[in-house]
Amino acid sequence: MEGVFAVIFIVFNLLLLPYPSFSLPLCTDSRAPLTVSTKLEFCSYNGSSCCNSTDDSKLQKQFQAMNISDPSCASLLQSVLCARCDPFSAKLFTSDSVPRPVPLLCNSTVSTNSSQSNQATNDFCSQVWDTCQNVLILNSPFAPSLQGQAGAPVNSNFTKLTELWQSKTDFCDAFGGASTAGSICYDGEPVTLNETGTPSALHGLCLEKIGEGNYLDMVAHPDGSNRAFFSNQQGKIWLATIPEVGSRGTLELDESNPFVDLTDQVHFDTTFGMMGIAFHPNFAENGRFFASFNCDKGKSPGCSGRCSCNSDVNCDPSKLRLDNGDQPCQYQSVIAEYTANGTASQPSSAENARPSEVRRIFTMGLPFTSQHGGQILFGPTDGYLYFMMGDGGGGGDPYNFSQNKKSILGKIMRLDVDTIPTFGLRNPWRCSFDSERPSYFMCADVGENLYEEVDIISKGGNYGWRVYEGLYPFDPTSSPGGNTQVNSISPILPVMGYNHSEVNKKVGSASIIGGYFYRSNTDPCMYGRYLYADLYAGAIWAATEDPENSGNFSTNTIPFGCARDSPLECSTVPASTLAALGYIYSFGQDNSKDIYLLTSSGVYRVAAPSQCNYTCSKENVTAVASPSPTTSPPSHANQLSPVILLSALLLLMAGLA
């Protein structure tokens, strides 16, 4: 019963992403812009817009009802109303989280750190005043008070600006503003952002090997120290100390003494296991942490969640086929809470935790044995726990769970009320928030047989699966759950990705691994770029956004080599200069914002470019400290048996691809 209650609770408490603080394209309802196939009739927006034809028609009726007699003023007011359709309307119509009746009108010369490219010296606010000040407007949008400033009271619905505001200065103090590096304003035309110019050239990603262990997840300690938690698929979590960059130290991790051992609760077998860990932002005070894993209801009494194939989503579990010989919903996805309280004087100093659950947050039966995601993480601004859920497997999402809003498969969820989840995802594998711009929530979504993608996640966004696989229409081989018509959805296209043929000619042999925006100073030429990779370790990509905060990315594959002073031996691929990583499972980030690769051959950290003889014009090579003599790795360095290594490989080859 507890599992059923958890499912019901989750369904009614879903995703609401944090409101953006930067000029990422978003609409006033915090959703991503739509792709408009034909130009709107009233508002001059095509391509990407926050309006559909219905919205366009409503704006036209509002404009006609204003009954503006002066053609020049009418033209300006039309553009002001149509700013609702701008892909950046969320920022234009919001000031200090307060909704605005009209967009922020540009009213000063563009500053040197402006984010806009076409504002120049255009004082659009003055233009509106000068053109419309003595024109009668019915139900003027400039009549309401704004930001504590109010116009003069009037006794008629027909008003002039001069009847509402004493002067141009008062008017533009209320409705105007300048574009800055973190904001935008409206100048009468669709918003465009400055090109940032050619970024620093990338010659490669230098990697130093600091650990021999084989892990699926890494989470920086919430206390801000140089410690981090590492977990494996079998169900163990370790607390490790990370060596300083340039010290040639190795990861201090005692395999014989895990922080907590949950292997008795976790069902581990190829595509199953512990998928993610998350530590409460206030863990140092409250000792709370969470694990996302799979259980087997045939072996665990607490593995009793409701089957995700149920009457609510028009699915009958008795009609599902066996998957690899297993019954439908025999295996479940679980999120459980644990505590480190009582194991030390302060949770921040705890080196062990209790393996007994404090409470079960979520339990749900899985229809098939693959593509169930499972990552969990805390939002950096809202404190909510985010849960990344795959489509449940079965090949091509045969029951169309991802497009069914009543199903929580193929969704990203958090505990909240009266909202719908982000959906249309196949198997999200590794999502992250940008540490400098929390509104950038990036998720890699593993494809079926053709395309791997990265999406910027927004509230209620539909990312297309299974109507689309990335950029391409998808034709399922089996559709017992029905189909979603292409013209019935407005999918948000991926911002980056790659075809399978780009990395491997073998069908299906590609699987994306989502990463992070690089925010460390260790490699200054990598700063601000988003890193992601493929499971099979043949390629790593660096994505550059230009203009900044536009959501437009260009990507390049980059070579990745071994640092010449790597603390542990870092071998290369035969007949190649690429580091021999084996399989890449996940990326990690520590409290210093340094980036790590968790691979089948060990733990690697991004090092200074000069350590691989890569040229970076921004790197101060003379400031790089001389490495100390090589130190032997601690005797308790984590070593995994070949059996465990093989099992971990099977997880990602069978479950992610």
Side-chain angles (χ1 to χ4, degrees):
M1 187 67 186
E2 180 182 8
V4 173
F5 174 78
V7 171
I8 295 173
F9 184 71
I10 288 282
V11 168
F12 284 96
N13 292 272
L14 295 168
L15 180 72
L16 180 61
L17 292 178
Y19 200 83
S21 57
F22 286 83
S23 304
L24 175 70
L26 278 181
C27 304
T28 53
D29 60 0
S30 297
R31 300 178 190 272
L34 305 171
T35 300
V36 181
S37 56
T38 58
K39 188 175 180 179
L40 302 177
E41 292 186 5
F42 178 67
C43 296
S44 57
Y45 284 88
N46 54 14
S48 180
S49 174
C50 286
C51 294
N52 55 27
S53 58
T54 301
D55 302 321
D56 184 61
S57 178
K58 288 180 179 178
L59 289 171
Q60 184 175 24
K61 291 178 181 178
Q62 180 184 353
F63 171 75
Q64 292 170 342
M66 293 167 69
N67 197 17
I68 306 170
S69 59
D70 183 85
S72 297
C73 178
S75 177
L76 291 178
L77 266 292
Q78 178 180 350
S79 71
V80 168
L81 290 180
C82 285
R84 289 276 178 189
C85 301
D86 198 284
F88 293 88
S89 59
K91 197 65 180 176
L92 289 172
F93 283 85
T94 305
S95 178
D96 298 325
S97 299
V98 178
R100 304 172 55 89
V102 295
L104 182 70
L105 306 179
C106 296
N107 74 340
S108 63
T109 301
V110 64
S111 60
T112 55
N113 65 342
S114 170
S115 62
Q116 283 183 259
S117 61
N118 66 344
Q119 181 187 349
T121 58
N122 181 8
D123 190 345
F124 185 67
C125 190
S126 292
Q127 184 182 353
V128 172
W129 175 270
D130 293 341
T131 306
C132 298
Q133 59 179 317
N134 292 312
V135 177
L136 286 172
I137 302 173
L138 180 61
N139 296 321
S140 172
F142 299 108
S145 62
L146 183 68
Q147 298 176 338
Q149 303 182 58
V154 294
N155 298 319
S156 171
N157 287 334
F158 273 104
T159 57
K160 303 176 182 178
L161 296 184
T162 52
E163 295 174 337
L164 296 167
W165 304 93
Q166 292 183 356
S167 67
K168 181 195 298 186
T169 300
D170 290 340
F171 175 77
C172 287
D173 282 346
F175 294 101
S179 171
T180 65
S183 68
I184 55 176
C185 59
Y186 185 67
D187 69 348
E189 300 291 338
V191 173
T192 58
L193 301 182
N194 278 318
E195 297 291 331
T196 57
T198 304
S200 301
L202 284 178
H203 295 281
L205 188 70
C206 189
L207 302 173
E208 60 174 352
K209 186 176 181 179
I210 64 169
E212 297 284 3
N214 190 273
Y215 310 103
L216 208 59
D217 207 359
M218 170 187 173
V219 178
H221 200 297
D223 67 357
S225 67
N226 64 334
R227 297 181 296 167
F229 295 95
F230 291 80
S231 63
N232 68 3
Q233 183 189 347
Q234 290 77 12
K236 291 184 179 181
I237 303 173
W238 290 270
L239 176 57
T241 299
I242 298 172
E244 291 185 11
V245 172
S247 68
R248 298 201 66 194
T250 57
L251 198 65
E252 296 181 19
L253 185 151
D254 186 354
E255 184 195 26
S256 65
N257 184 27
F259 179 77
V260 69
D261 184 348
L262 305 179
T263 53
D264 289 343
Q265 304 167 45
V266 174
H267 173 70
F268 165 62
D269 181 17
T270 62
T271 62
F272 296 108
M274 187 156 67
M275 299 290 105
I277 56 175
F279 287 74
H280 194 280
N282 296 323
F283 172 80
E285 291 78 36
N286 61 32
R288 300 172 63 196
F289 67 99
F290 303 80
S292 167
F293 58 87
N294 303 118
C295 63
D296 181 349
K297 70 178 183 181
K299 299 178 180 178
S300 173
C303 192
S304 56
R306 187 185 186 190
C307 184
S308 53
C309 171
N310 54 60
S311 57
D312 291 339
V313 295
N314 299 317
C315 181
D316 183 354
S318 67
K319 296 182 179 179
L320 292 182
R321 59 175 171 79
L322 296 180
D323 192 17
N324 295 324
D326 296 312
Q327 294 289 336
C329 294
Q330 176 179 339
Y331 304 111
Q332 317 253 317
S333 279
V334 173
I335 302 175
E337 180 179 346
Y338 301 86
T339 182
N341 280 336
T343 60
S345 58
Q346 296 288 337
S348 60
S349 61
E351 296 184 356
N352 299 97
R354 296 189 178 94
S356 54
E357 289 185 20
V358 172
R359 61 174 174 148
R360 180 67 57 89
I361 305 296
F362 172 83
T363 308
M364 183 184 70
L366 300 166
F368 303 105
T369 60
S370 63
Q371 292 147 227
H372 44 80
Q375 182 190 7
I376 52 175
L377 56 82
F378 278 95
T381 58
D382 57 16
Y384 285 95
L385 185 68
Y386 289 73
F387 178 41
M388 276 51 86
M389 192 73 206
D391 68 7
D397 191 10
Y399 286 86
N400 203 21
F401 292 129
S402 292
Q403 288 298 321
N404 190 330
K405 296 178 183 179
K406 293 183 179 181
S407 170
I408 54 179
L409 292 169
K411 312 294 190 295
I412 295 176
M413 300 171 286
R414 76 169 195 172
L415 297 180
D416 211 318
V417 242
D418 298 329
T419 180
I420 60 174
T422 296
F423 62 103
L425 298 168
R426 180 178 179 270
N427 191 26
W429 188 254
R430 294 327 187 215
C431 305
S432 67
F433 289 92
D434 183 3
S435 60
E436 288 194 2
R437 303 171 299 176
S439 59
Y440 275 67
F441 184 23
M442 313 295 290
C443 274
D445 192 19
V446 178
E448 181 89 359
N449 289 316
L450 183 61
Y451 194 81
E452 306 294 307
E453 67 185 86
V454 178
D455 302 293
I456 300 180
I457 302 300
S458 62
K459 183 185 77 171
N462 186 341
Y463 296 88
W465 176 253
R466 69 176 185 170
V467 181
Y468 289 90
E469 181 184 356
L471 304 171
Y472 305 100
F474 181 78
D475 184 17
T477 57
S478 175
S479 303
N483 288 312
T484 298
Q485 298 301 312
V486 173
N487 58 6
S488 69
I489 67 170
S490 297
I492 300 171
L493 298 179
V495 294
M496 61 191 84
Y498 54 94
N499 288 298
H500 284 202
S501 59
E502 294 178 38
V503 295
N504 200 313
K505 302 301 181 184
K506 191 176 179 181
V507 175
S509 56
S511 185
I512 195 169
I513 307 297
Y516 290 85
F517 279 101
Y518 190 85
R519 296 299 182 187
S520 169
N521 292 319
T522 302
D523 184 346
C525 285
M526 196 63 65
Y527 192 88
R529 290 176 164 94
Y530 179 79
L531 291 172
Y532 61 103
D534 190 81
L535 163 69
Y536 297 94
I540 296 177
W541 288 263
T544 304
E545 187 184 27
D546 193 25
E548 187 176 356
N549 300 316
S550 66
N552 298 319
F553 291 86
S554 60
T555 61
N556 296 98
T557 55
I558 52 174
F560 45 96
C562 293
R564 60 176 178 268
D565 293 313
S566 178
L568 298 175
E569 181 181 0
C570 174
S571 58
T572 58
V573 176
S576 169
T577 59
L578 295 181
L581 304 180
Y583 293 84
I584 301 175
Y585 299 143
S586 294
F587 284 81
Q589 184 182 59
D590 66 16
N591 284 316
S592 297
K593 309 309 176 191
D594 277 302
I595 298 297
Y596 298 78
L597 279 74
L598 311 183
T599 80
S600 61
S601 66
V603 179
Y604 296 79
R605 176 169 57 188
V606 176
S610 58
Q611 291 297 304
C612 289
N613 295 323
Y614 294 143
T615 301
C616 172
S617 60
K618 295 183 178 181
E619 182 185 3
N620 184 0
V621 179
T622 59
V624 178
S626 299
S628 57
T630 303
T631 55
S632 300
S635 58
H636 50 256
N638 189 13
Q639 303 283 341
L640 292 187
S641 71
V643 173
I644 293 178
L645 176 59
L646 177 61
S647 297
L649 295 181
L650 287 173
L651 164 72
L652 289 166
M653 287 190 289
L656 294 187

